[in-house]
């Protein structure tokens, strides 16, 4: 006889595994001739994203680079939409964060987590930005993937351009 608790636990594990399997994942990179310390100096502060991400107007973070800090990115768009993110982990030359609030019309994602990091590559560096999310607001996997990939490419291409000046 299957115990109700065991059956319930199995159902929860199955639901979690199916949900994880349905996540869309994006990884984008850029290689630059600039050394890692220079690149990290440009992008490493949690509140610095407005300095290098095209379309971001401001990005203050309430607790700086402390895990748990919340930044609100105000975008250069009609109505000044915002994206609220929480710093979830910090490591040498990398950090992870989660979107806690975004209008799906701005970015069609839910359950979004991401990591950006810098590593040595030859005499320069490679910046990796990866994220996992589910489509939101009626978006398809492809539409959500396109939106996030476009965001990552714009940011990474600008990082490269700024670092190599």
């Amino acid at each position: 006889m299957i115990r109700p608790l065991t059956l319930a636990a199995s159902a929860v594990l199955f639901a979690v595994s199916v949900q994880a399997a349905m996540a869309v994942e994006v990884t984008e990179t850029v290689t630059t001739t600039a050394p890692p310390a220079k690149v990290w100096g440009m992008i490493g502060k949690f509140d610095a994203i407005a300095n290098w991400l095209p379309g971001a107007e401001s990005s203050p973070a309430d607790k700086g680079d402390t895990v748990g800090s919340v930044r609100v990115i105000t975008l250069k768009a009609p109505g000044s939409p915002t994206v609220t993110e929480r710093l979830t982990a910090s490591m040498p030359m990398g950090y992870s964060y989660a979107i806690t609030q975004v209008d799906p019309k701005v970015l069609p994602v839910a359950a979004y987590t991401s990591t950006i990091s810098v590593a040595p590559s030859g005499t320069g560096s490679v910046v990796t930005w990866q994220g996992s999310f589910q489509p939101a607001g009626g978006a398809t996997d492809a539409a959500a993937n396109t939106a996030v990939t476009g965001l990552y490419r714009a940011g990474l291409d600008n990082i490269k351009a700024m670092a190599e000046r």
Side-chain angles (χ1 to χ4, degrees):
M1 175 176 190
I2 298 176
R3 294 184 181 160
L5 184 56
T6 304
L7 186 57
S10 296
V12 168
L13 289 174
F14 176 76
V16 168
S17 67
V18 167
Q19 185 173 3
M22 293 174 29
V24 177
E25 295 189 12
V26 170
T27 300
E28 292 290 321
T29 63
V30 71
T31 302
T32 175
T33 58
K38 178 179 181 180
V39 176
W40 188 245
M42 292 171 29
I43 71 169
K45 298 289 185 188
F46 189 54
D47 65 357
I49 195 168
N51 297 337
W52 54 267
L53 183 63
E57 179 71 36
S58 64
S59 55
D62 67 350
K63 296 176 187 152
D65 297 327
T66 303
V67 171
S69 183
V70 174
R71 72 179 171 198
V72 178
I73 303 168
T74 300
L75 303 175
K76 298 174 188 174
S80 300
T82 60
V83 180
T84 304
E85 301 174 336
R86 182 177 43 80
L87 185 63
T88 58
S90 180
M91 69 251 5
M93 294 210 188
Y95 64 80
S96 299
Y97 63 96
I99 291 179
T100 59
Q101 185 175 14
V102 65
D103 183 336
K105 293 174 188 163
V106 173
L107 189 62
V109 298
Y112 174 100
T113 59
S114 186
T115 299
I116 190 162
S117 60
V118 179
S121 177
T123 59
S125 54
V126 61
V127 183
T128 302
W129 200 354
Q130 56 192 36
S132 176
F133 51 88
Q134 295 176 351
T140 63
D141 285 4
N145 184 322
T146 297
V148 172
T149 298
L151 176 76
Y152 287 8
R153 283 285 16 120
L156 292 169
D157 292 346
N158 197 43
I159 290 167
K160 178 180 176 72
M162 291 172 62
E164 293 181 354
R165 284 188 195 140

